[in-house]
Amino acid sequence: MKHIAIVTVLVALLTIVTNYFLLSVGLLPVEASTQATIIDKLFNTHFFIISFLFSLISVFMIYSLIVFRNKKGQDEDGKFVTGSTKLEILWTIIPLATVISFSYLGAKSLAETRIINPQAMTINVTASQWAWSFEYPDFEITSNTLYLPVDNQVNLQMTSLDVIHSFWVPEFRVKQDVLPGENLVKELRFTPSIIGDYTLMCAELCGGAHAYMNSPVKVVSEADFQSWVDLESKADDLNPVQKGEKLVKNNGCIGCHTLDGSASVGPTWLGLSGSEKSLMDGEKIIVDDKYLMSSILNPNQDIVQNFSPNIMPSIYADLFSKEELEDIIAFINSLH
Amino acid sequence: MKRVWSIGIIRGLIFQLFGTGIGVIFFTTIRTILGLGWKTEPTIVVGGLFGAIFFLIGLGAFTDWWRAALGQEVLEPHEAHKFNGIRRYFEFTLDHKVIGIQYGVLSMILLSVGGSLALIFRVELASSGLQILNFVQFNTLVGLHGMVLIISILTGISAVSNYLIPLLIGADDMAFPRLNAFSFWIAIPASLILLSAMFFGGFETGWTAYPPLSVRGPMGIQMFFLGVYFAGWSSILGSLNLITTILKMRSPGMKMFRLPILTWSVLATSIMALTATQLIGLSFQLVMFERLLGMGFFTPSEGGNPVLFQHLFWFYSHPAVYIFILPGLGIISELLPVFVRKPLFGYKWVAMSSLAIALTSFLVWGHHMFTAGIEEYLRVPFMYSTLLVAVPTGVKFFSWVATLWQGKARFPVPMLFTLGAIIVFLMGGLTGPPAGTVSTDLHLHDTYFIVGHFHDTMFGGFVFPIFAAIYYWYPKITGRKLNETLGKIHFYLMTPSFLLMTFGQMRIGLLGMRRRIADYDPNLGFDSTHLLITIGGFLIAISVLVFFVNLIRSAKKGEIAEGNIWNSRSPEWSLLPSPAPINNYENREFRVVGNPYDYGLTGSKYVELIKSEEIKNEVES
């Protein structure tokens, strides 16, 4: 009995110490959405149970290994105890009750994170290898930065053009895979709660430059959001080069094609037009508007040496109008 | 030259090489006749398929079956010991002990290969930026690291079960010795084909091979699929054999509740492997067909559904986790009583908890898909079933602790690894529930937290226990003990390094480190932790090198192990000399007269030899 009493005290102490350690070390990023607050509450319950079970098992183990161990010069058998049905039932029933209540808490927490605000602003999110694009249907704006007004729920309608991606901003906690397929549009709702700059990261391995499939997320005040909307809406009086620049930035082109001459998955656009390139079959060509156009529409046809086919999607004939394609080429031509 | 040719494995490898060539020529000829040109991807698949079959033909795996089919005479397994000494390990041999060791060596080789692959990409990850690898190389290494080690684990548990189960239950061999040898040898071409993925452009999908990514990327993925497919055969046939052996070939008096506890775990594992492995084989086969024949199972633009694949895949791959760990947990339960000289606490509960884990494991696959976009109504039920696994797992932990309580523990190397296994597996167990409740998993899914969590479960449930098992049973195999000092260096170097590695992984995972990325933003501040993880990984590798040195050195120079060195009640130690004789218990038949773990009960016995007159009587009656 003496041993049990000592161990009980030690378990209690270690539980408190471990739990204090876990809570004070800063295990999770900033809570920047209402959902994060709800989820972290459940995390903290988990941390407590982890502290308790860790202490329970390790204290009992280490105590018996030290106190009851076979001392030097002894060669004794341990106490003959084969089991105890009472104890076994006890440590089946109590964990059972714990996991059921945990599942209940988990379900409640999930439900709270998913409370729907019918006034939520809809944003259509399109993922592709390896870029994000955000369309605000209410304002007819497309952007490569996710601008969000603080304290307003957003309703993301997400789809992918190629493989599975996953939407994750660690500070918002919630995560949702983004699937290809028209009938597989996935919804994600959250309410950002702190103004600031965050990074959206693709969390599902999507090949190649998966590591770099990030987009800036800006949570701004409602006034700042409105002025951003006003600024973006005045896009009509842009010249073709500016329009092209906007298009390539918002549709993920620069995820693979750099503008500064550095190497990436696709050829850099700096100084591209007018340059001489060798194709896979050895043929030499001069990059002109015609070649650029055919490379955008049929990316696998004339691959330049040292680049791989089947990386760039063949979707741009449907995605862009003829004028838009010409704007893009005008922009590429402007890069020298 | 003729001598080299007479060695089975060399003949097999040469046959595989030629078989692959024949497959390529055969397929190209057909394409040419049909008026089609060269196409690399289907050609290498057919080549790989032919290669594997030719390996088995060259080795002689089909010889006996072929002779039996022709009505010719075939030797009984126990008469068929054609080879002796070191030579038998390179042949199609029927002795379960030889096959067990063959599995073990293959497992350790794959462990080294898989571990080394990780060391390469850990160097890349030691600091932010891209240093030594490009994206495709990184992704290929990550995927192969996963799958090579999965096959290492599968062959490792086959090693333990093949070598030990007949010895533990007093059988003279496995139920189907030829099928047993076949299950082992098919794993060799499987491993070779899997590793050849590196030379066909690699693959970008990780070990999970989710379409549509696996449908689009480089064609190395086909070799990955084919390798796993053959390894699956090994797993399915091996478990069929084990179930039959355990149910039908026990010694007289060995009722199910008097089985050595490891046997229960192996039984539970085998039931899962026999019934679930098909699903990964089939799901991979479907993607192969999608790539080769354009069947749109999983690509939405072809009318398929990518989530369907994940259901099929995880229906195997979650039970697979328990397939990997249950034998390890069985080893813990088997060794603890020996080293604390006290009965296993609650034998029946421990035995039944293995079956309960096996059963529950079939109901939880959806927790890998909480963020995947599965139907809303599926997430909560899967959360309930997932957390239920904690109950039988808890029973095991509590029983181990109760076994230790008031036990007279002593600490030779196998005991150290057993205790290490409990602690590490505890870390894996405790980090499971946050990933099992949906809302917290929304944050944790696909992060390094998960990486840390499952490395804890794999090391606690397989790596530590298998090292314990090797230190414990090595003398039964070689007749010599492993060196204690080297063993202690191995343990005290590996355990803290491993904990450093996984704590580091979980820490940055919680803070936002994604899985499977070759580069990370230096602004996240993960560089120093990543460096520590890399250092931990290299220290583990060094400790395992010490272990290998010990394995090789002690085979010749180790202390001779005479008699029951661990003072165990189990028949292989109490009745058999070391190394174990070729026909197991021939002339040493025993019956079970007590409980397996009644340490501390004076005068009790687990097994007793049947006198030879009694055997005659039994045969006559």
PDB file of all heavy atoms in Angstrom, chain B residues 163 414 468-482 554 559-563 565-566 573 576-580:
ATOM      1  N   TYR B 163      10.603 -18.277 -37.813  1.00  0.00           N
ATOM      2  CA  TYR B 163      11.595 -18.964 -37.009  1.00  0.00           C
ATOM      3  C   TYR B 163      10.960 -19.486 -35.724  1.00  0.00           C
ATOM      4  O   TYR B 163      11.208 -20.615 -35.311  1.00  0.00           O
ATOM      5  CB  TYR B 163      12.765 -18.029 -36.681  1.00  0.00           C
ATOM      6  CG  TYR B 163      13.909 -18.768 -36.037  1.00  0.00           C
ATOM      7  CD1 TYR B 163      14.884 -19.365 -36.815  1.00  0.00           C
ATOM      8  CD2 TYR B 163      13.988 -18.911 -34.655  1.00  0.00           C
ATOM      9  CE1 TYR B 163      15.911 -20.085 -36.244  1.00  0.00           C
ATOM     10  CE2 TYR B 163      15.014 -19.629 -34.075  1.00  0.00           C
ATOM     11  CZ  TYR B 163      15.983 -20.214 -34.877  1.00  0.00           C
ATOM     12  OH  TYR B 163      16.989 -20.939 -34.301  1.00  0.00           O
ATOM     13  N   PRO B 414      18.288  -7.663 -24.152  1.00  0.00           N
ATOM     14  CA  PRO B 414      16.911  -7.831 -24.666  1.00  0.00           C
ATOM     15  C   PRO B 414      15.881  -7.111 -23.800  1.00  0.00           C
ATOM     16  O   PRO B 414      14.920  -6.539 -24.320  1.00  0.00           O
ATOM     17  CB  PRO B 414      16.679  -9.342 -24.613  1.00  0.00           C
ATOM     18  CG  PRO B 414      17.989  -9.970 -24.417  1.00  0.00           C
ATOM     19  CD  PRO B 414      18.951  -8.953 -23.908  1.00  0.00           C
ATOM     20  N   ALA B 468      15.090  -6.439 -29.652  1.00  0.00           N
ATOM     21  CA  ALA B 468      14.984  -7.254 -28.433  1.00  0.00           C
ATOM     22  C   ALA B 468      14.952  -8.729 -28.803  1.00  0.00           C
ATOM     23  O   ALA B 468      15.665  -9.555 -28.218  1.00  0.00           O
ATOM     24  CB  ALA B 468      13.734  -6.863 -27.650  1.00  0.00           C
ATOM     25  N   ALA B 469      14.123  -9.054 -29.804  1.00  0.00           N
ATOM     26  CA  ALA B 469      13.975 -10.456 -30.198  1.00  0.00           C
ATOM     27  C   ALA B 469      15.291 -11.010 -30.722  1.00  0.00           C
ATOM     28  O   ALA B 469      15.656 -12.156 -30.418  1.00  0.00           O
ATOM     29  CB  ALA B 469      12.879 -10.580 -31.263  1.00  0.00           C
ATOM     30  N   ILE B 470      16.012 -10.209 -31.498  1.00  0.00           N
ATOM     31  CA  ILE B 470      17.275 -10.720 -32.048  1.00  0.00           C
ATOM     32  C   ILE B 470      18.274 -10.954 -30.919  1.00  0.00           C
ATOM     33  O   ILE B 470      18.924 -11.991 -30.859  1.00  0.00           O
ATOM     34  CB  ILE B 470      17.838  -9.754 -33.114  1.00  0.00           C
ATOM     35  CG1 ILE B 470      16.895  -9.735 -34.327  1.00  0.00           C
ATOM     36  CG2 ILE B 470      19.231 -10.203 -33.557  1.00  0.00           C
ATOM     37  CD1 ILE B 470      17.258  -8.729 -35.383  1.00  0.00           C
ATOM     38  N   TYR B 471      18.393  -9.999 -29.989  1.00  0.00           N
ATOM     39  CA  TYR B 471      19.320 -10.217 -28.868  1.00  0.00           C
ATOM     40  C   TYR B 471      18.920 -11.446 -28.056  1.00  0.00           C
ATOM     41  O   TYR B 471      19.753 -12.165 -27.525  1.00  0.00           O
ATOM     42  CB  TYR B 471      19.371  -8.977 -27.969  1.00  0.00           C
ATOM     43  CG  TYR B 471      20.228  -7.852 -28.520  1.00  0.00           C
ATOM     44  CD1 TYR B 471      19.662  -6.755 -29.152  1.00  0.00           C
ATOM     45  CD2 TYR B 471      21.622  -7.906 -28.429  1.00  0.00           C
ATOM     46  CE1 TYR B 471      20.447  -5.732 -29.668  1.00  0.00           C
ATOM     47  CE2 TYR B 471      22.416  -6.896 -28.938  1.00  0.00           C
ATOM     48  CZ  TYR B 471      21.822  -5.809 -29.562  1.00  0.00           C
ATOM     49  OH  TYR B 471      22.606  -4.806 -30.084  1.00  0.00           O
ATOM     50  N   TYR B 472      17.608 -11.688 -27.970  1.00  0.00           N
ATOM     51  CA  TYR B 472      17.112 -12.774 -27.119  1.00  0.00           C
ATOM     52  C   TYR B 472      17.263 -14.131 -27.796  1.00  0.00           C
ATOM     53  O   TYR B 472      17.655 -15.112 -27.162  1.00  0.00           O
ATOM     54  CB  TYR B 472      15.646 -12.483 -26.798  1.00  0.00           C
ATOM     55  CG  TYR B 472      14.986 -13.480 -25.860  1.00  0.00           C
ATOM     56  CD1 TYR B 472      15.210 -13.425 -24.484  1.00  0.00           C
ATOM     57  CD2 TYR B 472      14.109 -14.446 -26.349  1.00  0.00           C
ATOM     58  CE1 TYR B 472      14.579 -14.308 -23.627  1.00  0.00           C
ATOM     59  CE2 TYR B 472      13.473 -15.331 -25.492  1.00  0.00           C
ATOM     60  CZ  TYR B 472      13.716 -15.265 -24.139  1.00  0.00           C
ATOM     61  OH  TYR B 472      13.093 -16.152 -23.292  1.00  0.00           O
ATOM     62  N   TRP B 473      16.939 -14.219 -29.090  1.00  0.00           N
ATOM     63  CA  TRP B 473      16.907 -15.532 -29.757  1.00  0.00           C
ATOM     64  C   TRP B 473      18.138 -15.820 -30.612  1.00  0.00           C
ATOM     65  O   TRP B 473      18.269 -16.909 -31.152  1.00  0.00           O
ATOM     66  CB  TRP B 473      15.628 -15.677 -30.579  1.00  0.00           C
ATOM     67  CG  TRP B 473      14.459 -16.120 -29.747  1.00  0.00           C
ATOM     68  CD1 TRP B 473      14.308 -17.344 -29.131  1.00  0.00           C
ATOM     69  CD2 TRP B 473      13.274 -15.374 -29.435  1.00  0.00           C
ATOM     70  NE1 TRP B 473      13.109 -17.391 -28.450  1.00  0.00           N
ATOM     71  CE2 TRP B 473      12.443 -16.184 -28.627  1.00  0.00           C
ATOM     72  CE3 TRP B 473      12.827 -14.093 -29.765  1.00  0.00           C
ATOM     73  CZ2 TRP B 473      11.215 -15.773 -28.143  1.00  0.00           C
ATOM     74  CZ3 TRP B 473      11.596 -13.682 -29.282  1.00  0.00           C
ATOM     75  CH2 TRP B 473      10.810 -14.516 -28.480  1.00  0.00           C
ATOM     76  N   TYR B 474      19.012 -14.815 -30.773  1.00  0.00           N
ATOM     77  CA  TYR B 474      20.236 -15.033 -31.559  1.00  0.00           C
ATOM     78  C   TYR B 474      21.004 -16.282 -31.071  1.00  0.00           C
ATOM     79  O   TYR B 474      21.441 -17.090 -31.893  1.00  0.00           O
ATOM     80  CB  TYR B 474      21.101 -13.781 -31.470  1.00  0.00           C
ATOM     81  CG  TYR B 474      22.392 -13.798 -32.263  1.00  0.00           C
ATOM     82  CD1 TYR B 474      22.415 -13.416 -33.599  1.00  0.00           C
ATOM     83  CD2 TYR B 474      23.592 -14.167 -31.659  1.00  0.00           C
ATOM     84  CE1 TYR B 474      23.592 -13.393 -34.315  1.00  0.00           C
ATOM     85  CE2 TYR B 474      24.790 -14.149 -32.375  1.00  0.00           C
ATOM     86  CZ  TYR B 474      24.778 -13.764 -33.690  1.00  0.00           C
ATOM     87  OH  TYR B 474      25.958 -13.749 -34.392  1.00  0.00           O
ATOM     88  N   PRO B 475      21.145 -16.483 -29.754  1.00  0.00           N
ATOM     89  CA  PRO B 475      21.866 -17.689 -29.297  1.00  0.00           C
ATOM     90  C   PRO B 475      21.181 -18.991 -29.729  1.00  0.00           C
ATOM     91  O   PRO B 475      21.853 -20.002 -29.946  1.00  0.00           O
ATOM     92  CB  PRO B 475      21.837 -17.563 -27.774  1.00  0.00           C
ATOM     93  CG  PRO B 475      21.601 -16.122 -27.501  1.00  0.00           C
ATOM     94  CD  PRO B 475      20.752 -15.619 -28.625  1.00  0.00           C
ATOM     95  N   LYS B 476      19.851 -18.950 -29.873  1.00  0.00           N
ATOM     96  CA  LYS B 476      19.143 -20.151 -30.323  1.00  0.00           C
ATOM     97  C   LYS B 476      19.477 -20.432 -31.792  1.00  0.00           C
ATOM     98  O   LYS B 476      19.456 -21.565 -32.252  1.00  0.00           O
ATOM     99  CB  LYS B 476      17.635 -19.916 -30.133  1.00  0.00           C
ATOM    100  CG  LYS B 476      16.698 -21.077 -30.280  1.00  0.00           C
ATOM    101  CD  LYS B 476      17.072 -22.340 -29.547  1.00  0.00           C
ATOM    102  CE  LYS B 476      17.131 -22.238 -28.048  1.00  0.00           C
ATOM    103  NZ  LYS B 476      17.685 -23.470 -27.422  1.00  0.00           N
ATOM    104  N   ILE B 477      19.815 -19.401 -32.537  1.00  0.00           N
ATOM    105  CA  ILE B 477      20.119 -19.553 -33.962  1.00  0.00           C
ATOM    106  C   ILE B 477      21.572 -19.978 -34.154  1.00  0.00           C
ATOM    107  O   ILE B 477      21.871 -20.880 -34.924  1.00  0.00           O
ATOM    108  CB  ILE B 477      19.863 -18.209 -34.701  1.00  0.00           C
ATOM    109  CG1 ILE B 477      18.396 -17.830 -34.573  1.00  0.00           C
ATOM    110  CG2 ILE B 477      20.279 -18.310 -36.159  1.00  0.00           C
ATOM    111  CD1 ILE B 477      18.090 -16.416 -35.009  1.00  0.00           C
ATOM    112  N   THR B 478      22.477 -19.299 -33.429  1.00  0.00           N
ATOM    113  CA  THR B 478      23.902 -19.515 -33.706  1.00  0.00           C
ATOM    114  C   THR B 478      24.596 -20.346 -32.640  1.00  0.00           C
ATOM    115  O   THR B 478      25.714 -20.809 -32.853  1.00  0.00           O
ATOM    116  CB  THR B 478      24.635 -18.156 -33.754  1.00  0.00           C
ATOM    117  OG1 THR B 478      24.462 -17.538 -32.475  1.00  0.00           O
ATOM    118  CG2 THR B 478      24.075 -17.258 -34.830  1.00  0.00           C
ATOM    119  N   GLY B 479      23.991 -20.477 -31.462  1.00  0.00           N
ATOM    120  CA  GLY B 479      24.689 -21.144 -30.372  1.00  0.00           C
ATOM    121  C   GLY B 479      25.620 -20.211 -29.610  1.00  0.00           C
ATOM    122  O   GLY B 479      26.307 -20.637 -28.693  1.00  0.00           O
ATOM    123  N   ARG B 480      25.662 -18.939 -30.007  1.00  0.00           N
ATOM    124  CA  ARG B 480      26.519 -17.973 -29.312  1.00  0.00           C
ATOM    125  C   ARG B 480      25.722 -16.729 -28.958  1.00  0.00           C
ATOM    126  O   ARG B 480      24.811 -16.340 -29.671  1.00  0.00           O
ATOM    127  CB  ARG B 480      27.696 -17.575 -30.202  1.00  0.00           C
ATOM    128  CG  ARG B 480      28.748 -18.647 -30.295  1.00  0.00           C
ATOM    129  CD  ARG B 480      29.739 -18.313 -31.394  1.00  0.00           C
ATOM    130  NE  ARG B 480      30.623 -19.451 -31.659  1.00  0.00           N
ATOM    131  CZ  ARG B 480      31.723 -19.696 -30.950  1.00  0.00           C
ATOM    132  NH1 ARG B 480      32.062 -18.914 -29.966  1.00  0.00           N
ATOM    133  NH2 ARG B 480      32.477 -20.750 -31.246  1.00  0.00           N
ATOM    134  N   LYS B 481      26.095 -16.092 -27.841  1.00  0.00           N
ATOM    135  CA  LYS B 481      25.390 -14.878 -27.425  1.00  0.00           C
ATOM    136  C   LYS B 481      25.965 -13.659 -28.140  1.00  0.00           C
ATOM    137  O   LYS B 481      27.134 -13.635 -28.496  1.00  0.00           O
ATOM    138  CB  LYS B 481      25.554 -14.682 -25.903  1.00  0.00           C
ATOM    139  CG  LYS B 481      24.733 -15.647 -25.084  1.00  0.00           C
ATOM    140  CD  LYS B 481      24.971 -15.455 -23.615  1.00  0.00           C
ATOM    141  CE  LYS B 481      24.162 -14.292 -23.051  1.00  0.00           C
ATOM    142  NZ  LYS B 481      24.222 -14.269 -21.566  1.00  0.00           N
ATOM    143  N   LEU B 482      25.127 -12.640 -28.297  1.00  0.00           N
ATOM    144  CA  LEU B 482      25.626 -11.369 -28.814  1.00  0.00           C
ATOM    145  C   LEU B 482      26.370 -10.655 -27.694  1.00  0.00           C
ATOM    146  O   LEU B 482      26.056 -10.829 -26.511  1.00  0.00           O
ATOM    147  CB  LEU B 482      24.456 -10.504 -29.302  1.00  0.00           C
ATOM    148  CG  LEU B 482      23.879 -10.883 -30.660  1.00  0.00           C
ATOM    149  CD1 LEU B 482      22.524 -10.230 -30.851  1.00  0.00           C
ATOM    150  CD2 LEU B 482      24.812 -10.462 -31.783  1.00  0.00           C
ATOM    151  N   SER B 554      29.813 -11.729 -33.360  1.00  0.00           N
ATOM    152  CA  SER B 554      29.435 -12.715 -32.351  1.00  0.00           C
ATOM    153  C   SER B 554      29.147 -14.091 -32.942  1.00  0.00           C
ATOM    154  O   SER B 554      29.198 -15.096 -32.227  1.00  0.00           O
ATOM    155  CB  SER B 554      28.209 -12.234 -31.576  1.00  0.00           C
ATOM    156  OG  SER B 554      28.492 -11.016 -30.955  1.00  0.00           O
ATOM    157  N   GLU B 559      30.253 -15.400 -26.892  1.00  0.00           N
ATOM    158  CA  GLU B 559      30.265 -16.351 -25.779  1.00  0.00           C
ATOM    159  C   GLU B 559      29.313 -17.506 -26.106  1.00  0.00           C
ATOM    160  O   GLU B 559      28.190 -17.280 -26.558  1.00  0.00           O
ATOM    161  CB  GLU B 559      29.789 -15.603 -24.522  1.00  0.00           C
ATOM    162  CG  GLU B 559      29.757 -16.414 -23.266  1.00  0.00           C
ATOM    163  CD  GLU B 559      28.958 -15.688 -22.169  1.00  0.00           C
ATOM    164  OE1 GLU B 559      28.866 -14.427 -22.247  1.00  0.00           O
ATOM    165  OE2 GLU B 559      28.438 -16.348 -21.289  1.00  0.00           O
ATOM    166  N   ILE B 560      29.777 -18.752 -25.866  1.00  0.00           N
ATOM    167  CA  ILE B 560      28.937 -19.900 -26.210  1.00  0.00           C
ATOM    168  C   ILE B 560      27.733 -19.967 -25.273  1.00  0.00           C
ATOM    169  O   ILE B 560      27.857 -19.772 -24.064  1.00  0.00           O
ATOM    170  CB  ILE B 560      29.762 -21.189 -26.152  1.00  0.00           C
ATOM    171  CG1 ILE B 560      30.744 -21.180 -27.335  1.00  0.00           C
ATOM    172  CG2 ILE B 560      28.876 -22.420 -26.206  1.00  0.00           C
ATOM    173  CD1 ILE B 560      31.564 -22.403 -27.494  1.00  0.00           C
ATOM    174  N   ALA B 561      26.552 -20.159 -25.874  1.00  0.00           N
ATOM    175  CA  ALA B 561      25.324 -20.185 -25.080  1.00  0.00           C
ATOM    176  C   ALA B 561      24.924 -21.625 -24.831  1.00  0.00           C
ATOM    177  O   ALA B 561      24.478 -22.320 -25.747  1.00  0.00           O
ATOM    178  CB  ALA B 561      24.214 -19.448 -25.827  1.00  0.00           C
ATOM    179  N   GLU B 562      25.103 -22.055 -23.617  1.00  0.00           N
ATOM    180  CA  GLU B 562      24.767 -23.439 -23.336  1.00  0.00           C
ATOM    181  C   GLU B 562      23.546 -23.503 -22.437  1.00  0.00           C
ATOM    182  O   GLU B 562      23.470 -22.766 -21.452  1.00  0.00           O
ATOM    183  CB  GLU B 562      25.953 -24.129 -22.677  1.00  0.00           C
ATOM    184  CG  GLU B 562      26.008 -25.594 -23.066  1.00  0.00           C
ATOM    185  CD  GLU B 562      27.410 -26.164 -22.839  1.00  0.00           C
ATOM    186  OE1 GLU B 562      28.392 -25.423 -22.977  1.00  0.00           O
ATOM    187  OE2 GLU B 562      27.487 -27.340 -22.519  1.00  0.00           O
ATOM    188  N   GLY B 563      22.601 -24.353 -22.798  1.00  0.00           N
ATOM    189  CA  GLY B 563      21.429 -24.565 -21.950  1.00  0.00           C
ATOM    190  C   GLY B 563      20.466 -23.394 -21.991  1.00  0.00           C
ATOM    191  O   GLY B 563      20.466 -22.593 -22.914  1.00  0.00           O
ATOM    192  N   ILE B 565      19.794 -20.250 -21.237  1.00  0.00           N
ATOM    193  CA  ILE B 565      20.532 -19.074 -20.770  1.00  0.00           C
ATOM    194  C   ILE B 565      19.656 -17.996 -20.145  1.00  0.00           C
ATOM    195  O   ILE B 565      20.109 -17.238 -19.312  1.00  0.00           O
ATOM    196  CB  ILE B 565      21.373 -18.442 -21.893  1.00  0.00           C
ATOM    197  CG1 ILE B 565      20.508 -18.227 -23.124  1.00  0.00           C
ATOM    198  CG2 ILE B 565      22.596 -19.269 -22.212  1.00  0.00           C
ATOM    199  CD1 ILE B 565      21.189 -17.386 -24.167  1.00  0.00           C
ATOM    200  N   TRP B 566      18.407 -17.897 -20.554  1.00  0.00           N
ATOM    201  CA  TRP B 566      17.541 -16.855 -19.978  1.00  0.00           C
ATOM    202  C   TRP B 566      16.670 -17.435 -18.866  1.00  0.00           C
ATOM    203  O   TRP B 566      15.822 -16.732 -18.336  1.00  0.00           O
ATOM    204  CB  TRP B 566      16.651 -16.231 -21.047  1.00  0.00           C
ATOM    205  CG  TRP B 566      17.373 -15.743 -22.259  1.00  0.00           C
ATOM    206  CD1 TRP B 566      17.234 -16.228 -23.523  1.00  0.00           C
ATOM    207  CD2 TRP B 566      18.339 -14.702 -22.341  1.00  0.00           C
ATOM    208  NE1 TRP B 566      18.044 -15.551 -24.394  1.00  0.00           N
ATOM    209  CE2 TRP B 566      18.746 -14.600 -23.697  1.00  0.00           C
ATOM    210  CE3 TRP B 566      18.920 -13.834 -21.407  1.00  0.00           C
ATOM    211  CZ2 TRP B 566      19.689 -13.684 -24.139  1.00  0.00           C
ATOM    212  CZ3 TRP B 566      19.851 -12.921 -21.859  1.00  0.00           C
ATOM    213  CH2 TRP B 566      20.232 -12.850 -23.195  1.00  0.00           C
ATOM    214  N   TRP B 573      13.716 -22.950 -25.219  1.00  0.00           N
ATOM    215  CA  TRP B 573      14.873 -22.773 -24.333  1.00  0.00           C
ATOM    216  C   TRP B 573      14.989 -23.920 -23.338  1.00  0.00           C
ATOM    217  O   TRP B 573      16.085 -24.362 -23.028  1.00  0.00           O
ATOM    218  CB  TRP B 573      14.780 -21.442 -23.569  1.00  0.00           C
ATOM    219  CG  TRP B 573      15.069 -20.255 -24.425  1.00  0.00           C
ATOM    220  CD1 TRP B 573      14.185 -19.284 -24.796  1.00  0.00           C
ATOM    221  CD2 TRP B 573      16.312 -19.910 -25.047  1.00  0.00           C
ATOM    222  NE1 TRP B 573      14.795 -18.369 -25.613  1.00  0.00           N
ATOM    223  CE2 TRP B 573      16.102 -18.733 -25.781  1.00  0.00           C
ATOM    224  CE3 TRP B 573      17.587 -20.491 -25.066  1.00  0.00           C
ATOM    225  CZ2 TRP B 573      17.109 -18.107 -26.522  1.00  0.00           C
ATOM    226  CZ3 TRP B 573      18.593 -19.874 -25.794  1.00  0.00           C
ATOM    227  CH2 TRP B 573      18.348 -18.701 -26.515  1.00  0.00           C
ATOM    228  N   LEU B 576      15.356 -27.548 -25.876  1.00  0.00           N
ATOM    229  CA  LEU B 576      16.231 -27.711 -27.034  1.00  0.00           C
ATOM    230  C   LEU B 576      17.639 -27.186 -26.750  1.00  0.00           C
ATOM    231  O   LEU B 576      17.808 -26.223 -26.016  1.00  0.00           O
ATOM    232  CB  LEU B 576      15.678 -26.928 -28.240  1.00  0.00           C
ATOM    233  CG  LEU B 576      14.426 -27.454 -28.912  1.00  0.00           C
ATOM    234  CD1 LEU B 576      14.127 -26.622 -30.141  1.00  0.00           C
ATOM    235  CD2 LEU B 576      14.587 -28.913 -29.300  1.00  0.00           C
ATOM    236  N   PRO B 577      18.653 -27.840 -27.355  1.00  0.00           N
ATOM    237  CA  PRO B 577      20.001 -27.257 -27.292  1.00  0.00           C
ATOM    238  C   PRO B 577      20.094 -26.080 -28.256  1.00  0.00           C
ATOM    239  O   PRO B 577      19.213 -25.879 -29.080  1.00  0.00           O
ATOM    240  CB  PRO B 577      20.887 -28.410 -27.771  1.00  0.00           C
ATOM    241  CG  PRO B 577      20.009 -29.213 -28.669  1.00  0.00           C
ATOM    242  CD  PRO B 577      18.617 -29.092 -28.125  1.00  0.00           C
ATOM    243  N   SER B 578      21.175 -25.288 -28.128  1.00  0.00           N
ATOM    244  CA  SER B 578      21.402 -24.193 -29.087  1.00  0.00           C
ATOM    245  C   SER B 578      22.653 -24.535 -29.890  1.00  0.00           C
ATOM    246  O   SER B 578      23.631 -24.956 -29.294  1.00  0.00           O
ATOM    247  CB  SER B 578      21.641 -22.871 -28.366  1.00  0.00           C
ATOM    248  OG  SER B 578      20.598 -22.622 -27.468  1.00  0.00           O
ATOM    249  N   PRO B 579      22.694 -24.319 -31.200  1.00  0.00           N
ATOM    250  CA  PRO B 579      21.567 -23.937 -32.047  1.00  0.00           C
ATOM    251  C   PRO B 579      20.486 -25.025 -32.120  1.00  0.00           C
ATOM    252  O   PRO B 579      20.788 -26.196 -31.883  1.00  0.00           O
ATOM    253  CB  PRO B 579      22.221 -23.724 -33.405  1.00  0.00           C
ATOM    254  CG  PRO B 579      23.544 -24.366 -33.367  1.00  0.00           C
ATOM    255  CD  PRO B 579      23.956 -24.484 -31.947  1.00  0.00           C
ATOM    256  N   ALA B 580      19.272 -24.603 -32.451  1.00  0.00           N
ATOM    257  CA  ALA B 580      18.151 -25.538 -32.500  1.00  0.00           C
ATOM    258  C   ALA B 580      18.417 -26.622 -33.548  1.00  0.00           C
ATOM    259  O   ALA B 580      18.881 -26.312 -34.637  1.00  0.00           O
ATOM    260  CB  ALA B 580      16.878 -24.786 -32.855  1.00  0.00           C
TER     261      ALA B 580
END
